[in-house]
Amino acid sequence: MKIVLFGASGNIGRPTTEELLRRGHTVTAVTRAGHVDGLKHKALTVTTGDVTDAAAVAGLAASHDAVLSAVGPRIGQESDRATIVGAARALIDGLRRAGVTRLVTIGGAGSLRTPTGARVMDDPDFPALWKANAEAQSEALDLYRGVHDLDWTYVSPAAVIGAGERTGAYRSAGDTLLTDDDGNSRISYADYAIALADTIESGTAIRRRITVAY
């Protein structure tokens, strides 16, 4: 496929770009700076673009098969809502303008449900540093859930995501936080990237939120 990937130089975007290229896809990688350090490939084009600008999204998405957004602000920043919700609005509008229907976007774990039915982010021990981000991600998810003319999928990671090996193994679920036998919820950037690539390739989980974890 020909895929536009926003946020290609980030902790999630970089391994996702590499994963898509490894699988033979053609990737237009969009970053604020217009480069992805140290990454070169014959099927890779790197350019600048603003994911919160619907016209820019439309222009970049045109003639592509799908869009993947791995954009997220730094935690604890006041720009959380402007970036996350702004990106959701622009992606929805931009893809409609471009006539591209397939969208996969990263999401947050804060709006996932625990076994009690409560949201993860409503736990009194939820880190204050992540609160603004989680609220913005939840608002973005609500926006997507109101969209019925795009084939979107919102992919929430585990509660903890970070550096780690690429195992190729993960589990998936719907709106409920996944944990292991010890109650831990985690996944590596590399395996999250695999899940994102699998999702965009399979064309499943249309107009749904899913979550992935070990």
Side-chain angles (χ1 to χ4, degrees):
M1 290 189 289
K2 293 177 64 179
I3 299 169
V4 177
L5 198 158
F6 288 95
S9 62
N11 288 330
I12 295 169
R14 172 65 179 259
T16 304
T17 301
E18 294 173 341
E19 185 66 32
L20 292 171
L21 292 170
R22 184 182 292 116
R23 298 180 184 210
H25 300 294
T26 298
V27 179
T28 299
V30 185
T31 72
R32 293 185 185 93
H35 62 83
V36 182
D37 291 340
L39 185 59
K40 295 184 181 297
H41 194 283
K42 63 182 180 180
L44 174 68
T45 301
V46 184
T47 188
T48 58
D50 182 357
V51 73
T52 65
D53 182 334
V57 171
L60 289 162
S63 78
H64 287 76
D65 300 306
V67 171
L68 196 157
S69 176
V71 171
R74 297 174 182 174
I75 60 170
Q77 300 295 309
E78 292 182 358
S79 62
D80 279 357
R81 185 179 183 279
T83 299
I84 294 171
V85 178
R89 294 186 188 281
L91 285 164
I92 292 166
D93 188 8
L95 265 66
R96 285 171 171 162
R97 296 189 200 183
V100 176
T101 60
R102 185 60 173 140
L103 170 66
V104 173
T105 181
I106 66 170
S111 60
L112 290 167
R113 299 287 175 174
T114 67
T116 67
R119 296 184 304 175
V120 172
M121 63 189 285
D122 293 331
D123 188 299
D125 295 325
F126 188 82
L129 188 64
W130 285 100
K131 192 70 172 182
N133 185 285
E135 289 174 344
Q137 293 284 13
S138 181
E139 185 176 348
L141 176 57
D142 286 341
L143 284 174
Y144 288 121
R145 282 176 166 161
V147 173
H148 305 290
D149 58 337
L150 298 178
D151 295 335
W152 59 268
T153 307
Y154 181 103
V155 186
S156 290
V160 176
I161 181 171
E165 64 179 317
R166 179 182 183 274
T167 70
Y170 65 88
R171 296 178 296 144
S172 63
D175 290 319
T176 303
L177 182 73
L178 285 170
T179 60
D180 61 20
D181 291 341
D182 296 321
N184 299 311
S185 177
R186 62 185 182 84
I187 197 166
S188 69
Y189 292 130
D191 284 333
Y192 187 50
I194 289 175
L196 291 170
D198 287 347
T199 300
I200 206 165
E201 285 182 340
S202 67
T204 57
I206 300 300
R207 290 183 286 278
R208 288 178 50 211
R209 186 259 289 278
I210 61 171
T211 185
V212 295
Y214 294 132

